[in-house]
Amino acid sequence: MSDRPVVLAVAAADMEAEAYRGYCLESVAAAYDIVLITSEEPSWEVPFIRDCVVVPDPTDQAALSAAGRALADRYDLAGVFTWTEWYLVPVARLARQLGLPTTAPEVMQACRNKGTARSLFARHGVPSAASLSVRTRQEAQAAAERIGYPIVLKPAAHAASIGVIRVDTPEQLPAAYEFAAGAAVLGTESTSVLVEEYLDGPEVSVECVTYQGETTVIAVTRKTVSTPPYFEELAHSVDASDPLLGVVAPAARAAIGALGITDGVSHVEMRLVDGRPRLVEVNGRIAGDMIGHLVRLATGIDLPRAAADIACDRAPDLTPTRCSAAAIHLIYPETSGTLTALHFDGPRPPWLKRISFQRSVGDRLLLPPEGDMFSARIGFLITTGASADDARRRGQEALGALTLDVAPHNRADQDTGADSVV
């Protein structure tokens, strides 16, 4: 029998899980025995876990709680946590039911509902965006006139930029509202649409760790997003010595404090408007898109391990052991279509840390507005360097050795099936 502490992880089992969250499970398994609740029979997770209970829908609180109690009967659980956005509130409730450490479920609900978060930011003086919650196109039109164009429409309780769209004129609003509302109906904390002021400036995220009410700012992630009207994230980079850290840290701490987060890892998104931070949202979990892995490559700080430590009421080790940079380039086609060729023919220098494909030849790829990041993304590659510029440059070099062909769906308008990468 192992004498290591046992932590319960609740995690999604979709097709992206291994590629984008496998590093989290591997990291935590180095220090803890993991028992897992997930929605499908485990496969790639098996080497990292001690036990598993399958719950087809972990957002079903009764089913999740029953599974959690069953595992608590088998093991002396030290903590429970999740890195899956949709499970934040149910897992916080489960932790409370089991008497385990957690940020309050009500706080997690505020993180999940962007409208509630905006209200809390305003109440606590955290710089954010003007925002109004609406339920009809007519309400959206009135809100847009009040705020002033350009505006952003977004679901109040979704994630991954799904359903988020910029609107520059009143003529664009009807179709844009339908796009946002179509995604909003899938929200579990709210089905409303937000009409918001467009924050014009570069987008960054701030990766933070909070333990017993004290927040440590770990790293800043610089982002590359798609051209309007959509907000697909195309690339991220983390530099341990980024001068923006001092600029964004106070706003990140203020946002976490305004929401009432007491414990856990947070991914705080903001834009720099005229050089000053304006809050977009706070995600109460480790960032997606391998950002936590970039943080470790650049700083040596292990965010998944920190999340598990905090869930078990242990002080996390946040001591930097590296000072470098890392970048991820997310691979999309330039047009929707069928993937006809995909292979990497280049060398594998030490700075090319990972290449991962989630799509195969023959798969259909759908960009917005017909699809989203889950239906369009092909994969990613990760590079390192002495600086973020160096890591990004190497990423472009690696992309040059990638063969990616897409046959557009509307062949009548296309002369060739060849497509380039973004």
Side-chain angles (χ1 to χ4, degrees):
M1 291 289 291
S2 169
D3 59 358
R4 303 193 310 169
V6 180
V7 65
L8 167 57
V10 184
D14 55 46
M15 69 176 185
E16 311 288 348
E18 180 179 8
Y20 291 94
R21 293 301 192 184
Y23 81 95
C24 294
L25 207 60
E26 181 177 6
S27 175
V28 176
Y32 290 87
D33 282 0
I34 300 174
V35 293
L36 181 68
I37 294 176
T38 189
S39 57
E40 298 175 7
E41 286 294 333
S43 54
W44 63 268
E45 302 98 332
V46 169
F48 305 114
I49 63 176
R50 182 168 168 181
D51 201 349
C52 179
V53 173
V54 174
V55 175
D57 179 10
T59 65
D60 179 338
Q61 190 68 58
L64 179 67
S65 297
R69 284 191 293 269
L71 287 168
D73 288 341
R74 296 179 211 168
Y75 305 96
D76 181 16
L77 297 180
V80 55
F81 75 115
T82 184
W83 47 73
T84 303
E85 177 74 17
W86 328 111
Y87 304 164
L88 289 173
V89 177
V91 168
R93 289 176 179 150
L94 173 61
R96 179 169 280 181
Q97 291 164 359
L98 297 178
L100 297 171
T102 182
T103 287
E106 301 79 29
V107 172
M108 289 293 98
Q109 281 185 309
C111 292
R112 287 284 300 125
N113 188 328
K114 298 175 178 65
T116 302
R118 290 277 190 231
S119 297
L120 289 169
F121 295 156
R123 184 184 307 168
H124 292 271
V126 180
S128 182
S131 178
L132 293 169
S133 178
V134 302
R135 288 193 171 275
T136 68
R137 188 180 71 188
Q138 291 73 23
E139 289 180 359
Q141 289 170 328
E145 293 299 328
R146 180 175 171 183
I147 291 171
Y149 291 92
I151 58 162
V152 174
L153 298 180
K154 65 175 64 171
H158 221 307
S161 299
I162 294 172
V164 183
I165 186 168
R166 193 176 97 177
V167 184
D168 294 327
T169 67
E171 292 74 23
Q172 296 173 353
L173 191 137
Y177 178 79
E178 294 305 316
F179 174 75
V185 296
L186 302 175
T188 53
E189 278 70 41
S190 172
T191 56
S192 297
V193 170
L194 298 182
V195 180
E196 296 195 337
E197 168 191 9
Y198 174 66
L199 300 177
D200 191 5
E203 183 173 344
V204 302
S205 65
V206 189
E207 320 313 326
C208 301
V209 175
T210 304
Y211 179 59
Q212 296 183 349
E214 294 295 323
T215 295
T216 302
V217 175
I218 304 298
V220 59
T221 305
R222 303 212 186 204
K223 300 175 177 294
T224 303
V225 298
S226 60
T227 55
Y230 306 109
F231 292 83
E232 299 294 327
E233 296 184 345
L234 305 180
H236 310 281
S237 63
V238 175
D239 191 326
S241 57
D242 196 314
L244 270 182
L245 270 170
V247 175
V248 300
R253 289 194 183 96
I256 287 170
L259 289 168
I261 295 172
T262 58
D263 295 279
V265 177
S266 298
H267 172 63
V268 183
E269 298 183 352
M270 59 183 71
R271 283 196 170 221
L272 302 176
V273 181
D274 297 326
R276 294 187 293 273
R278 300 275 299 276
L279 262 292
V280 174
E281 63 186 61
V282 176
N283 303 125
R285 40 91 181 156
I286 301 167
D289 287 350
M290 298 292 289
I291 289 173
H293 187 58
L294 300 186
V295 169
R296 188 172 186 181
L297 289 172
T299 71
I301 297 172
D302 189 335
L303 292 181
R305 170 69 183 274
D309 288 341
I310 293 167
C312 298
D313 199 18
R314 298 179 168 202
D317 183 359
L318 304 178
T319 307
T321 58
R322 300 176 188 165
C323 188
S324 59
I328 183 170
H329 192 106
L330 305 164
I331 304 168
Y332 292 92
E334 286 191 344
T335 185
S336 296
T338 300
L339 188 61
T340 58
L342 179 65
H343 51 90
F344 182 80
D345 300 318
R348 300 289 183 103
W351 47 259
L352 180 54
K353 296 299 181 182
R354 188 173 301 189
I355 300 175
S356 177
F357 297 137
Q358 288 83 63
R359 301 291 177 180
S360 302
V361 169
D363 285 352
R364 286 169 57 86
L365 310 173
L366 289 176
L367 291 163
E370 295 81 15
D372 53 43
M373 62 168 285
F374 297 110
S375 62
R377 188 180 295 179
I378 295 166
F380 64 83
L381 58 85
I382 293 175
T383 52
T384 56
S387 67
D389 284 344
D390 191 28
R392 287 190 291 262
R393 177 186 56 77
R394 287 172 166 175
Q396 291 297 324
E397 180 180 335
L399 282 172
L402 178 66
T403 297
L404 188 165
D405 292 334
V406 172
H409 289 157
N410 188 356
R411 295 304 298 269
D413 296 333
Q414 303 287 340
D415 294 326
T416 175
D419 190 18
S420 57
V421 213
V422 294

